[in-house]
Amino acid sequence: MRSPLARCVAASALVVFLVGGASGCAALPSASSPVPTSTASTPDPSPSAADPTPDPSVSPEPTETPSDGFGGFESGELAQICIDATLSAFPADVAFTIEDTRIEKRSVAPEWLVLVPAQASGLEAQAQCTIGGSPSAPELGMSSASLEPLPEEQIENLIRGENEGGDR
């Protein structure tokens, strides 16, 4: 009996072989003879059982493209604004990990929750900010320095605009 890992590797290899083989079967443009074309429209083929059908109840998550940034901001800009706002609250030996910054779109203003991980005095730390406005005129809402990362439940509260400062 094969292990689940062996079955997974074998299935992956089969998929790669089939996809690679199918693309290798296409005729080369130089080897094909001219084919007459028609200007008549043909109906779209009906979906087959192999075609994935999108689930209408699941909406795709919006993604920010690098050109869009985050409301005009780039992720590094948001991280730096948050670091600048919280730096004085951390010990002098703080080291931020900007590339691991987590940015969440909030349902309230300011629209961005920015969580910048850091190391401070040997502890996992985190700069936490809410930022809105524009890159030329950023608006800082909450800014906080913590010697431990926020729990996911609190992050979800902040995304909804709840419990900012402990009393909402």
Side-chain angles (χ1 to χ4, degrees), residues 82 102 104 106 113-118 124-130 142-159 162-166:
C82 190
R102 178 176 173 182
E104 296 286 344
R106 292 168 23 105
L113 172 62
V114 181
L115 305 168
V116 185
E124 294 291 322
Q126 188 177 61
Q128 306 141 1
C129 300
T130 56
M142 172 203 77
S143 63
S144 177
S146 174
L147 291 180
E148 61 184 51
L150 288 177
E152 192 61 34
E153 180 181 345
Q154 181 61 24
I155 292 170
E156 294 303 318
N157 287 341
L158 290 171
I159 290 170
E162 299 169 359
N163 201 22
E164 292 180 37

Side-chain angles (χ1 to χ4, degrees), residues 8-151:
C8 182
V9 169
S12 297
L14 180 61
V15 168
V16 169
F17 175 76
L18 290 175
V19 170
S23 65
C25 292
L28 296 174
S30 61
S32 64
S33 60
V35 178
T37 58
S38 169
T39 57
S41 64
T42 57
D44 290 338
S46 60
S48 68
D51 293 335
T53 306
D55 184 354
S57 66
V58 177
S59 61
E61 286 190 32
T63 57
E64 299 287 342
T65 60
S67 61
D68 290 338
F70 297 92
F73 291 99
E74 295 295 327
S75 62
E77 289 177 299
L78 289 170
Q80 193 60 55
I81 291 167
C82 190
I83 289 169
D84 292 345
T86 59
L87 185 61
S88 64
F90 283 105
D93 68 343
V94 67
F96 295 93
T97 313
I98 293 177
E99 62 274 6
D100 292 334
T101 298
R102 178 176 173 182
I103 301 170
E104 296 286 344
K105 182 155 178 64
R106 292 168 23 105
S107 54
V108 297
E111 67 181 318
W112 303 108
L113 172 62
V114 181
L115 305 168
V116 185
Q119 287 281 324
S121 300
L123 300 171
E124 294 291 322
Q126 188 177 61
Q128 306 141 1
C129 300
T130 56
I131 302 171
S134 67
S136 61
E139 297 171 8
L140 185 66
M142 172 203 77
S143 63
S144 177
S146 174
L147 291 180
E148 61 184 51
L150 288 177

